[in-house]
Amino acid sequence: MDLVVHSNHLVMSIGMIAMVWANTGTIATWGQSVFFTALAAVMAIGLLRTPGRDLRISLASHLALNAAMVWMLLAMPLLMAHPMGTGAHGDGSADGGGHDSGHHGDHSMAHGMPLSQTPDWATAVNWVAIALSALAAAWWLILLVRSCRIGIHTLCHAVMGLGMAGMLALM
């Protein structure tokens, strides 16, 4: 199970960095979603075989963060407001701005294009994902405090949970 969890961390870290800096596209989004769902399935099977309450809760926290990551990947278009319309207002750019629209502010708002509303069900599911991510972070912080020493591994897991909750909250 350690290999599965470490592979998960590696690919999720790369995916989160790529998500911030580049538009990864539809194929990469679906590929990541399938990968994280498959690893979550393996972790769920491992959860049934894992001895000890603490180890099971730790593995369950990884499952929660995987579910949150898949949600983030698939729901990003729903959660982030985007202009309603085709973007065919000038130069064909996605924001509909022409060459004179400048490089400050929100181009779509400057042109009076309304932003789409996030569906209520998506907002509710997002808050569930935020809560699960925060609970995962809290679990790792509890383990850190109980250990009476600074455990970088445990601290990193807490930061990952808080980072996931924060990213989802920003969306």
Side-chain angles (χ1 to χ4, degrees):
M1 196 50 56
D2 282 344
L3 180 61
V4 171
V5 169
H6 291 310
S7 299
N8 187 59
H9 289 160
L10 175 66
V11 175
M12 194 174 292
S13 296
I14 293 168
M16 292 292 275
I17 291 167
M19 186 185 302
V20 170
W21 293 104
N23 181 0
T24 56
T26 304
I27 293 173
T29 298
W30 281 103
Q32 289 180 71
S33 300
V34 168
F35 179 80
F36 294 128
T37 301
L39 287 184
V42 171
M43 285 186 227
I45 292 167
L47 186 63
L48 300 173
R49 298 177 181 175
T50 300
R53 180 183 59 105
D54 286 358
L55 290 174
R56 282 194 305 271
I57 294 172
S58 295
L59 193 52
S61 75
H62 282 92
L63 277 165
L65 292 174
N66 267 46
M69 182 68 172
V70 171
W71 168 251
M72 181 186 294
L73 287 164
L74 298 179
M76 196 176 301
L78 287 172
L79 297 173
M80 298 180 72
H82 54 281
M84 293 172 37
T86 63
H89 291 290
D91 66 353
S93 66
D95 64 351
H99 296 289
D100 62 340
S101 56
H103 294 288
H104 52 76
D106 184 353
H107 300 295
S108 61
M109 292 305 289
H111 289 285
M113 292 180 65
L115 298 178
S116 64
Q117 178 72 26
T118 300
D120 290 339
W121 67 267
T123 301
V125 171
N126 197 54
W127 279 108
V128 169
I130 291 168
L132 289 173
S133 298
L135 281 172
W139 169 250
W140 290 102
L141 289 173
I142 289 167
L143 287 181
L144 186 65
V145 170
R146 282 186 3 196
S147 72
C148 296
R149 65 180 181 86
I150 297 176
I152 297 299
H153 181 79
T154 307
L155 183 60
C156 285
H157 282 86
V159 170
M160 286 188 303
L162 290 173
M164 184 66 73
M167 289 291 283
L168 286 166
L170 288 173
M171 292 171 65

